[in-house]
Amino acid sequence: LNTRHNLGFNALNYFQDTLADFSPWQSLEKFKALVSEGQINSEKIILAKPQTFMNLSGQAVKLLADFYKVAPSDTWILHDDLDLPLGSLRLAQNGSAAGHQGVASIIEKLGTKDFIRFRLGIAPNGQNIFSSLAKKFLPTKNFVLQKFTTGEKEMVQKTNQKTSEALSLALAKGIQAAQTQFN
């Protein structure tokens, strides 16, 4: 759970821990996900962590969206992003998968790119891991499956806090308000 590829789950766990009256995580096979439910500002909120392989995340997202009748534009995805340095957070809508196979799966299953993405940076030391030099020495697949170093764990905690604040602001005042403050 502490790999770079799981930063979205880590941030979602942190956010869920800050919420009062949300159900504990429940494994629901019909959704292929762990699910926690509650209300924020009188609105029902479903938190979910797909339990498929990362590259098949769209299966769980589609099952949840269909069952709860959630429009793609009301679907928010938290995911790791190699194009951003560790500690960075960017909110986007209608973006491409940019090489992230989990996001590509979600786009394929929902049939649209019209969902909100909380892009959590994982590139080391502010570097873009896709640089040709970095790829030569450390293939992307190997890098994203690494655990965070001791020195990076403080930055991961700050990312979790920042993501939780962005989620709270987006729920209270809308995505644009969160983009203005956090992008």
Side-chain angles (χ1 to χ4, degrees), residues 96-121:
S96 73
H100 193 292
Q101 296 305 308
V103 174
S105 173
I106 294 166
I107 291 169
E108 176 196 345
K109 293 296 182 184
L110 293 181
T112 183
K113 297 183 279 185
D114 185 28
F115 54 88
I116 307 298
R117 296 170 52 194
F118 287 72
R119 301 169 51 212
L120 311 176

Side-chain angles (χ1 to χ4, degrees), residues 37-164:
E37 299 181 28
Q39 287 198 351
I40 298 176
N41 303 326
S42 301
E43 187 172 349
K44 183 175 185 168
I45 304 292
I46 308 297
L47 306 177
K49 298 186 294 187
Q51 297 299 290
T52 60
F53 288 109
M54 178 73 70
N55 296 353
L56 301 174
S57 296
Q59 293 175 358
V61 173
K62 176 72 169 151
L63 290 167
L64 286 155
D66 286 351
F67 183 83
Y68 289 105
K69 297 177 182 18
V70 177
S73 60
D74 291 328
T75 301
W76 299 3
I77 306 296
L78 281 63
H79 68 87
D80 61 290
D81 195 315
L82 280 166
D83 287 337
L84 299 172
L86 182 63
S88 295
L89 170 64
R90 296 288 177 268
L91 283 69
Q93 188 168 10
N94 267 333
S96 73
H100 193 292
Q101 296 305 308
V103 174
S105 173
I106 294 166
I107 291 169
E108 176 196 345
K109 293 296 182 184
L110 293 181
T112 183
K113 297 183 279 185
D114 185 28
F115 54 88
I116 307 298
R117 296 170 52 194
F118 287 72
R119 301 169 51 212
L120 311 176
I122 61 169
N125 302 319
Q127 300 171 20
N128 180 336
I129 196 67
F130 281 126
S131 72
S132 58
L133 183 62
K135 278 181 128 177
K136 185 176 189 178
F137 294 107
L138 184 64
T140 300
K141 180 180 176 185
N142 294 344
F143 178 75
V144 299
L145 295 178
Q146 287 181 346
K147 293 186 183 233
F148 291 104
T149 66
T150 302
E152 293 172 325
K153 288 182 181 176
E154 183 178 333
M155 187 62 73
V156 168
Q157 188 65 13
K158 287 179 182 177
T159 300
N160 291 342
Q161 279 182 302
K162 188 187 313 183
T163 304
S164 183

Side-chain angles (χ1 to χ4, degrees), residues 23-37:
S23 68
W25 293 107
Q26 301 171 47
S27 179
L28 298 177
E29 279 299 313
K30 69 181 179 178
F31 299 131
K32 299 182 181 184
L34 297 175
V35 175
S36 175
E37 299 181 28

